[in-house]
Amino acid sequence: QVQLVESGGGLVQAGGSLRLSCAASGRTFSSLAMGWFRQAPGKEREFVTRISRGGINTYYADSVKGRFTISRDDAKNTVYLQMNSLKPEDTAVYYCAADSRPKYSVLVDDYDYWGQGTQVTVSS
């Protein structure tokens, strides 16, 4: 089992920045690929970004490419999401997720463990 706890959400003006953190426990963190998803009101949960084991590969949704950066610190069992140039359409609950399989995936069902989510609200 893996427990994931997100933090760092909040209210920010358009153009601003936030950094989300996700602390993991319960299993060797370095063996997991990690991802961030988000869900806006009335919409399905969508893929935002993923980082492979060891941080060698990263993947981004087109909507956040160039603005968001995912990183991980295996010594701290933590994955981060740096969000810059935020837009009102980035408003959502952001979820951290862990995938025990190495194959790249953007599908919600392919991730084994989920955090409780953290709210990000971007005002115009």
Side-chain angles (χ1 to χ4, degrees), residues 24 28 33-34 44 58 72 100 120:
T28 304
M34 300 297 297
E44 294 188 352
T58 57
R72 64 188 296 160
S100 59
V120 172

Side-chain angles (χ1 to χ4, degrees), residues 32-63:
L32 300 167
M34 300 297 297
W36 287 94
F37 289 72
R38 65 187 182 186
Q39 188 167 17
K43 295 188 177 181
E44 294 188 352
R45 193 169 298 188
E46 65 174 4
F47 172 80
V48 175
T49 181
R50 174 185 172 106
I51 188 165
S52 65
R53 300 172 182 176
I56 297 172
N57 299 114
T58 57
Y59 311 89
Y60 296 92
D62 288 342
S63 59

